[in-house]
Amino acid sequence: MSKIDLDFNINEDEMMLSLARLDRKLEKVYLGGGNKKIEKQHAQGKLTARERIEYLIDNNTALIEIGAFAGDGMYEEYGGCPSGGVVVVIGFIQNRQCVIVANDATVKAGAWFPITGKKNLRAQEIALENKLPIIYLVDSAGVFLPLQDEIFPDKEHFGRIFRNNAKLSSKGIPQISAIMGSCVAGGAYLPIMSDESIIVDGTGSIFLAGPYLVKAAIGENVDKETLGGAKTTNQISGVTDYNVPDDKSCLDTIKDIVSKIGERKKSGINRIESKNPSRNPRDIIGIMPSNRAKPYDTKSLLECIVDRESLTYYKDEYGQTIICAYARIDGWSVGIVINNRLVVKNGRGEMQFGGVIYSDSADKATRFILNCNQKKIPLIFFHDVTGFMVGTRSEHGGIIKDGAKMVNAVANSTVPKITVIIGNSYGAGNYAMCGKAYDPRFIAAWPTAKIAVMGGDQASQVLAQIQISSIKAKGQNLDEKAQEEMINEIKAKYEKQTEPYYAASRLWVDSIINPLDTRNFISNCLSACDNAKIKKFNVGVIQT
């Protein structure tokens, strides 16, 4: 067996272990608050959030889940908050792609944690950017009071959701709400600020203050149904529009409403008949090395993802640490920007390190990004970047200026941008390659992703030296063993923070995906993007 074959097999084995870990974590996430809470929901005659979504969406159609790992490892002192207590997907209802937001009442009765608010805002952002109808399946006890100061008053907190309701409405983006459980306090505004609202008789209720608070506030004794049940809100207050007997009837009503929504003008993104990749897509998991420092053949990786015979490399022999290419993915026309992990020589015969952005690479990528905007071609960014090149030669060559040009082009792009973090995503390289701060329409990570200011080895050394210097300044000393233990402790903490699950729990990425699903993920995202017209492009001032 050759070394290449051996490396391929080692990479494959390591990736399969990573994917097994991903599957185990997803299985746990899908249980929400656990089997006992699911049984309790069923005993009340209610479907769970995921069962409601499964019934609502068309069979055998594409589905993207957003934020499955939101809240992962957070709020442990309160028993955790799987998926942030809310399930968000983009799926097809009656052949119409929609955003669906479903409170998970098995998780703290669907109460809103800070990450719940952030996830709901992300769902609304996706609906706004892509002009997708948004469906809210409401079943929530309201704000989680022990953390109210982290979710209630700030600009990107709970109240922003209702502001977004108004913005969505003003742009003609349909919003449909189903009150399928509790809907209380400020949360009561969400369904009523939607275009239409449905309430389930017997289980749904909506009011600004529940019976206990009414008793405490004004001394009135009233039951939940009289205060804000289905009959009250349909026959007396007129707060809701439809009264239905059970969950399935409610979801059928949503299907009927969605089926009658008029068509929206498409973006004009070019698409032709799809072709299979020229290379077996499964080869991805053998090509991608488990050791993030190792080089690999980036172009071979692309051949596993894009349609065969569709790759056209732009300035292929210039700025080779970034590969730019026109291609098609499932028939969609795309412009690809991907970091090249191979060590290469530039036109002057000088060695350039793979994964590092040099001036020539930044210059090439900038021109390519501008071209794609000019031609209304969506941009796909694949991250495996360690940052921009440093040192005297780079500084004298204007690396800051060239990096700024690339960041400017990315920031001002108006074509849809989709980001997939496949490996390292460090420092300013994260920004230049359209990280979260640069408004990708969608952003996903492979299990091999690492997101941080710098790599763990460098960061732990820097942080340790700062701490050691501080200790010495106080007149204390650490022996060699103590210093090593400190470095290892810092490194372990830092490495945990660079993991894709850490990023996904905080919604720095929308999803962690199986590399084998990359092609479908991008195609489904482009399908969503195709619902919104592309704005006029104006790059602003770029220094030459």
Side-chain angles (χ1 to χ4, degrees):
M1 179 181 288
S2 70
K3 185 179 185 303
I4 293 175
D5 291 336
L6 181 61
D7 286 345
F8 188 97
N9 290 341
I10 291 171
N11 294 339
E12 189 175 38
D13 289 344
E14 288 293 329
M15 182 67 83
M16 292 304 292
L17 288 172
S18 295
L19 294 178
R21 182 191 179 202
L22 174 62
D23 288 341
R24 286 194 303 271
K25 288 180 75 70
L26 282 172
E27 284 176 10
K28 187 175 179 181
V29 162
Y30 292 159
L31 286 175
N35 286 317
K36 287 186 178 179
K37 295 290 180 66
I38 292 172
E39 290 169 7
K40 182 179 178 181
Q41 187 130 336
H42 287 164
Q44 295 171 347
K46 295 161 65 177
L47 300 172
T48 65
R50 292 187 181 276
E51 288 168 342
R52 287 166 177 168
I53 290 171
E54 185 179 3
Y55 183 88
L56 187 59
I57 61 175
D58 300 344
N59 292 329
N60 303 315
T61 55
L63 183 76
I64 303 170
E65 179 161 357
I66 303 295
F69 290 110
D72 181 55
M74 301 168 68
Y75 316 116
E76 295 301 321
E77 66 271 36
Y78 301 108
C81 186
S83 263
V86 61
V87 183
V88 174
V89 304
I90 302 166
F92 285 87
I93 303 172
Q94 300 296 292
N95 297 315
R96 174 62 66 96
Q97 204 167 15
C98 302
V99 179
I100 306 167
V101 182
N103 296 115
D104 187 349
T106 70
V107 179
K108 297 289 187 296
W112 289 62
F113 284 69
I115 198 66
T116 318
K118 187 174 183 179
K119 188 169 174 180
N120 275 262
L121 290 173
R122 176 62 181 139
Q124 290 180 319
E125 180 182 43
I126 290 169
L128 273 166
E129 286 183 331
N130 300 289
K131 304 296 185 286
L132 296 175
I134 184 166
I135 315 298
Y136 307 99
L137 307 181
V138 185
D139 194 347
S140 171
V143 167
F144 187 65
L145 289 177
L147 297 173
Q148 66 85 27
D149 63 320
E150 297 179 38
I151 187 173
F152 173 68
D154 210 347
K155 180 179 179 180
E156 298 296 331
H157 282 179
F158 191 61
R160 187 80 171 182
I161 291 164
F162 316 128
R163 175 262 189 195
N164 286 351
N165 285 139
K167 290 292 185 182
L168 284 156
S169 180
S170 72
K171 295 184 184 301
I173 298 169
Q175 299 176 86
I176 302 166
S177 285
I179 302 160
M180 308 182 79
S182 180
C183 183
V184 64
Y189 285 106
L190 184 146
I192 309 311
M193 291 190 73
S194 299
D195 300 314
E196 294 180 271
S197 60
I198 308 156
I199 189 167
V200 179
D201 196 1
T203 55
S205 59
I206 178 169
F207 28 64
L208 290 181
Y212 294 119
L213 185 54
V214 169
K215 173 67 176 175
I218 62 173
E220 180 184 356
N221 288 307
V222 63
D223 63 82
K224 186 170 68 172
E225 283 298 312
T226 303
L227 191 62
K231 289 183 175 60
T232 295
T233 57
N234 268 265
Q235 298 175 10
I236 300 173
S237 67
V239 164
T240 57
D241 304 310
Y242 305 91
N243 180 358
V244 293
D246 52 42
D247 276 15
K248 289 187 176 179
S249 299
C250 179
L251 299 170
D252 286 335
T253 303
I254 293 172
K255 291 180 184 182
D256 181 61
I257 294 170
V258 171
S259 72
K260 295 178 173 66
I261 296 174
E263 290 299 320
R264 182 178 284 274
K265 194 172 182 179
K266 297 293 185 180
S267 70
I269 300 171
N270 183 272
R271 190 182 194 188
I272 62 173
E273 186 177 347
S274 175
K275 294 181 181 179
N276 290 327
S278 60
R279 183 161 181 164
N280 186 346
R282 188 173 172 79
D283 285 353
I284 288 176
I285 62 177
I287 294 169
M288 193 70 184
S290 55
N291 183 341
R292 297 299 333 113
K294 280 190 173 182
Y296 56 90
D297 187 348
T298 310
K299 290 183 177 179
S300 293
L301 203 69
L302 287 181
E303 289 167 3
C304 300
I305 297 170
V306 307
D307 294 12
R308 69 179 182 272
E309 300 172 352
S310 71
L311 277 165
T312 301
Y313 291 105
Y314 175 80
K315 290 184 180 287
D316 195 23
E317 298 179 0
Y318 176 72
Q320 294 179 70
T321 63
I322 287 182
I323 294 171
C324 298
Y326 298 108
R328 290 191 183 274
I329 295 178
D330 195 23
W332 295 101
S333 171
V334 297
I336 293 172
V337 181
I338 183 170
N339 306 108
N340 187 6
R341 286 306 307 270
L342 294 176
V343 177
V344 297
K345 287 184 179 180
N346 64 18
R348 293 181 292 274
E350 300 162 339
M351 299 304 294
Q352 294 187 336
F353 299 103
V356 179
I357 301 176
Y358 290 78
S359 285
D360 54 358
S361 305
D363 176 66
K364 176 174 82 172
T366 300
R367 289 296 302 270
F368 182 73
I369 291 164
L370 298 180
N371 286 346
C372 286
N373 275 274
Q374 183 79 3
K375 294 184 280 192
K376 296 189 176 181
I377 297 174
L379 285 160
I380 315 296
F381 293 86
F382 291 99
H383 289 216
D384 198 348
V385 59
T386 52
F388 284 88
M389 190 59 189
V390 296
T392 305
R393 181 188 291 271
S394 293
E395 297 294 356
H396 290 183
I399 187 67
I400 297 175
K401 180 178 67 175
D402 290 319
K405 288 192 292 186
M406 184 175 174
V407 169
N408 191 323
V410 171
N412 284 297
S413 288
T414 57
V415 295
K417 298 174 291 189
I418 297 168
T419 296
V420 183
I421 303 173
I422 65 176
N424 302 321
S425 186
Y426 293 156
N430 172 279
Y431 302 156
M433 292 293 294
C434 195
K436 180 68 173 178
Y438 287 79
D439 298 321
R441 294 279 187 97
F442 299 95
I443 179 169
W446 288 2
T448 46
K450 295 279 187 182
I451 306 167
V453 171
M454 63 180 75
D457 289 332
Q458 303 96 310
S460 58
Q461 291 290 338
V462 171
L463 292 168
Q465 287 306 313
I466 292 170
Q467 289 195 26
I468 291 167
S469 297
S470 177
I471 290 168
K472 287 181 177 179
K474 296 175 184 176
Q476 303 170 4
N477 283 309
L478 288 175
D479 59 30
E480 193 173 307
K481 183 179 179 183
Q483 289 187 29
E484 185 180 345
E485 287 176 353
M486 177 185 286
I487 290 171
N488 288 337
E489 184 179 338
I490 291 170
K491 185 177 179 181
K493 181 181 178 181
Y494 191 89
E495 288 286 356
K496 182 179 179 181
Q497 292 175 352
T498 67
E499 282 197 346
Y501 296 102
Y502 191 89
S505 70
R506 289 151 180 81
L507 290 173
W508 301 344
V509 297
D510 293 323
S511 310
I512 299 176
I513 62 172
N514 184 327
L516 301 179
D517 294 333
T518 304
R519 179 177 161 87
N520 286 336
F521 174 81
I522 293 171
S523 179
N524 294 337
C525 291
L526 288 170
S527 176
C529 296
D530 194 34
N531 290 278
K533 290 191 295 184
I534 295 172
K535 296 177 183 177
K536 185 179 178 181
F537 177 60
N538 185 357
V539 74
V541 177
I542 291 186
Q543 285 188 322
T544 56

